[in-house]
Amino acid sequence: MSVVPHASSAGITSVPRPRLSPEGHDPQSTERIAVTGPLRRLLVWYGIASLGVYLALGAVNSVLLPLQVEAVDPAQKAANLAIVTAVGAVGGMIAQPIAGLLSDRTRSRWGRRAPWIFAGALLAAGAMVVLGGRSGLVGIGALYLLVMVALNIYFSPKAAVMPDRVPRGVRGLFSASGGLGVLVGITGGMGLGSVLADTPQVGYAVLAVVIVVAACGFALFNPDHDNRGEPRPPLQWTAFLKTYWVSPRAHPDFAWGFLGRLLTLTGYYITTTFQLYVLQDHIGLGDDAVDAILPISAVSLVATLLSTVIGGPLSDRMGRRKPVAVAAGLLIAAGLVAPWVMPTMTGIYVFAVLAGLGFGSYLAVDQALLTEVLPTTEDNGRYLGVLNIAVTLPQALAPAIAGLIVSVLSYAALFPIAMAVAVAGALAVLPIRSVR
C-alpha cells in the first residue's frame, strides 16, 4: 500500500492510497464499475484461461485416461484408475499453493503471475503429448502426475488475478466468466474426448495446443505492470511448510469456504468423472457407453450455461453469494437421486439437467465468494493456491473415491454417498460471516 501526503489542520499526515490494477481500478473497492476496455478484455480472457485447463481435465479425466487405463487391464480398471488419479491428486495438491506462494514473490517485466502461467501451460502441454503415447500403467501414472502438477502451476497464479485486479463489485461477473470456462471445458471436454476416443494421441495433442493458446492469450492480451522495482517479501524455507496451513481459528471464513468448495465439487465429480464406467456397468451400455457421453454432455452443458449466465450477475445485483452457493449444492444432491433410484438413461438425463443447473450456479458465485474471504491482499496467490486445492483435488481424487466405493460396495452406492457429500458442502457455506 503506497502513501501520499495529505494536508490537515494538525499539519501534514499520510493516508493510504489504494493500489490500482493495470486496468486502473482498486481491486478492494465494492463500488460497481462499468466493465469496459481493458477490464472487459480481462473478463473474456479470464473465462478462456479457465476453459483451457478444464477442457483438458474434462476430456482426460472422463474419457481418455479411463480408456487408457482400461486397455492395460480391463478387469482391474476401477482400482487402477483410482491409483493413477490419486497420485495425480497428491501432486496437484502439493504444487498449487507453492506456485501461488512463488508467484506472490516474483518480480519481472511481465508482473507476478504471467511467468508461472506460461511455465505451467508449456509443461502441461508437453506432458500431455507424451502421455497420449503411453500404454503401461507406470508410464501413464507418471505422465498424468506431471500433467496435474503443471496444470496447477498454471491455474494457481491465474486464479490470483481476480483479487489482484478485479473490483469486488464485479467479481460475480468474473466468477461467472471463469465458471463458464470451467463448465464448457468439463462438459465440452467429455464430448471431445468421446469424439477422439479412437485416436487418443490426437486428442491429447489437440488439448495441449488449447492449453498453450489459452494461457498465452490470457497473459499477452492482459499484461500486468512491470513490478521489478517493487520490494520482494522475504522467503524462508519454512514458508513452504507453512504454505499449506491457514489457521481455521484465526480465519474461520476461509476454512468454511475451503470446506464448502471441497465437498460440493467432490459430490459432483464422484459420479461425473467416473461416468464412462457408470454407463458401461451400472446403466448397462457396455461398448456403446462412449457414444452416449456426447448427448449427455450436451444436455448438461445447456443446463450449466443457463444457470451460470444468470447466477453470477444476479449475485452481484443482490450483493449476496451464499444463497446461490447453498442452492447449488442442494440441486446437485437432488440430481443424484435420479440415477440412484432409476438406473436408466432417463435417470442419467435427469441428473444431467438438475446437477448441471446446480454446478453452473455454484461456479457462477464460487470464485467471487472465496476471493472475499482471503486473509490478506499481499499473499493472494498463496491463499488462492490453498483454496484451489479444493477445485483440482475433487476432480483428480473423485475417481479414486469412486473406485474404492465400487470395489467395496457397488455402482449404486456412488449416488447416495455423493449426495450426502454435496449436501454437506452446501451446509458448510452457511457459517461464513464476512460474505452475505
Side-chain angles (χ1 to χ4, degrees):
M1 186 75 71
S2 57
V3 175
V4 294
H6 173 70
S8 70
S9 59
I12 302 297
T13 61
S14 295
V15 296
R17 181 178 65 192
R19 175 178 291 161
L20 301 183
S21 71
E23 291 73 31
H25 305 298
D26 174 13
Q28 302 311 311
S29 172
T30 58
E31 180 183 356
R32 288 280 297 172
I33 294 174
V35 182
T36 59
L39 191 60
R40 180 170 57 192
R41 184 168 61 246
L42 180 64
L43 172 68
V44 172
W45 278 100
Y46 191 82
I48 294 174
S50 293
L51 175 65
V53 173
Y54 286 95
L55 191 67
L57 288 173
V60 173
N61 287 346
S62 297
V63 182
L64 298 181
L65 184 67
L67 287 175
Q68 276 185 295
V69 171
E70 183 179 24
V72 174
D73 184 355
Q76 298 296 321
K77 63 183 181 182
N80 287 339
L81 184 64
I83 294 170
V84 170
T85 54
V87 171
V90 172
M93 181 178 65
I94 293 172
Q96 188 154 148
I98 291 178
L101 175 69
L102 293 176
S103 74
D104 286 335
R105 287 155 175 79
T106 296
R107 300 293 178 263
S108 77
R109 61 179 296 185
W110 303 283
R112 294 189 288 178
R113 314 301 180 189
W116 295 93
I117 291 173
F118 284 133
L122 291 174
L123 180 60
M128 290 188 73
V129 170
V130 180
L131 175 59
R134 296 299 92 190
S135 57
L137 191 63
V138 174
I140 291 171
L143 267 298
Y144 180 75
L145 169 62
L146 185 56
V147 168
M148 292 305 297
V149 168
L151 286 179
N152 279 279
I153 290 173
Y154 164 13
F155 194 72
S156 180
K158 178 264 177 186
V161 169
M162 185 187 291
D164 284 353
R165 299 167 59 174
V166 178
R168 286 177 179 263
V170 293
R171 287 184 186 175
L173 182 60
F174 271 76
S175 185
S177 175
L180 282 171
V182 172
L183 70 92
V184 173
I186 289 176
T187 55
M190 291 178 184
L192 180 61
S194 67
V195 170
L196 298 173
D198 294 332
T199 54
Q201 286 183 282
V202 175
Y204 278 111
V206 169
L207 295 171
V209 172
V210 169
I211 290 171
V212 172
V213 170
C216 292
F218 177 69
L220 293 175
F221 287 104
N222 302 277
D224 202 350
H225 63 275
D226 185 333
N227 68 342
R228 286 177 290 182
E230 295 182 6
R232 189 197 309 267
L235 179 62
Q236 300 176 344
W237 288 108
T238 55
F240 288 103
L241 298 177
K242 295 178 181 178
T243 294
Y244 301 95
W245 174 250
V246 179
S247 171
R249 178 172 296 181
H251 307 290
D253 284 356
F254 183 92
W256 285 116
F258 179 93
L259 184 62
R261 171 183 271 189
L262 178 69
L263 294 175
T264 301
L265 294 182
T266 299
Y268 179 76
Y269 289 131
I270 281 177
T271 52
T272 56
T273 58
F274 220 60
Q275 183 172 251
L276 179 65
Y277 296 168
V278 168
L279 292 173
Q280 286 177 338
D281 301 331
H282 181 63
I283 305 300
L285 297 185
D287 293 338
D288 296 329
V290 172
D291 296 330
I293 290 178
L294 186 58
I296 295 169
S297 300
V299 171
S300 179
L301 178 60
V302 172
T304 48
L305 279 172
L306 178 64
S307 57
T308 303
V309 169
I310 295 173
L314 180 62
S315 76
D316 281 340
R317 292 190 183 95
M318 295 190 306
R320 300 174 70 90
R321 318 287 191 198
K322 288 165 60 175
V324 179
V326 172
L330 296 179
L331 266 173
I332 292 171
L336 287 161
V337 175
W340 179 29
V341 302
M342 188 168 44
T344 63
M345 286 302 295
T346 300
I348 290 294
Y349 279 117
V350 172
F351 166 75
V353 173
L354 292 181
L357 290 171
F359 186 54
S361 299
Y362 188 78
L363 292 176
V365 299
D366 168 61
Q367 193 73 16
L369 186 156
L370 293 178
T371 60
E372 295 175 17
V373 300
L374 299 180
T376 73
T377 59
E378 295 302 320
D379 285 322
N380 287 333
R382 174 217 166 184
Y383 288 120
L384 280 169
V386 175
L387 283 174
N388 284 329
I389 289 175
V391 175
T392 55
L393 187 60
Q395 294 170 71
L397 199 56
I401 297 172
L404 180 63
I405 293 171
V406 170
S407 299
V408 176
L409 299 172
S410 65
Y411 279 98
L414 288 174
F415 303 100
I417 292 174
M419 184 169 55
V421 174
V423 170
L427 297 179
V429 175
L430 294 177
I432 296 176
R433 295 184 178 182
S434 59
V435 181
R436 295 175 61 198

